[in-house]
Amino acid sequence: MARVVWHVPVTVHHLGHGTGSTNALRLFRLRDGRRCAVGFSTPEALTALLGPDQAHTELGEAALRELTAPLGVDALVLDPRLVAPPVAAPATQPAPAPTAQLQHR
């Protein structure tokens, strides 16, 4: 049986003064507000959604479940898609508000 790994996004915390760094799982939210962990089937899928600067680690599903269970996270999502609608840029820039003039009395 082939070993299946998930490419899981992490946040890197630098310890400073050349002592190294630690990684923390990056958790997300489902539409209903529950926290979830996500994994991607390939590094390219992770980069396509989260960008090239997103750090990640490789974990099996069982290891990911073991890490998230103590946090009360039981939902795992493989290869999620962005569900927020894209933000449209305004067609024109609004005119600046007039500046109030101070009067001396």
Side-chain angles (χ1 to χ4, degrees):
M1 178 181 239
R3 178 176 173 245
V4 177
V5 296
W6 289 20
H7 303 274
V8 179
V10 296
T11 301
V12 178
H13 299 280
H14 297 283
L15 302 176
H17 302 297
T19 57
S21 62
T22 62
N23 295 338
L25 289 177
R26 185 172 169 199
L27 298 177
F28 295 83
R29 294 209 177 262
L30 297 170
R31 289 183 189 191
D32 64 8
R34 291 182 299 140
R35 292 187 310 165
C36 68
V38 301
F40 295 85
S41 54
T42 65
E44 294 80 16
L46 182 142
T47 299
L49 189 69
L50 300 177
D53 295 329
Q54 175 61 60
H56 68 280
T57 190
E58 294 180 355
L59 293 173
E61 180 181 348
L64 186 54
R65 288 192 184 279
E66 286 181 34
L67 289 170
T68 57
L71 304 172
V73 176
D74 60 359
L76 303 182
V77 179
L78 179 62
D79 290 327
R81 294 185 187 170
L82 183 64
V83 295
V87 176
T92 60
Q93 294 292 329
T99 305
Q101 297 290 327
L102 296 178
Q103 294 180 356
H104 236 333
R105 291 188 189 215

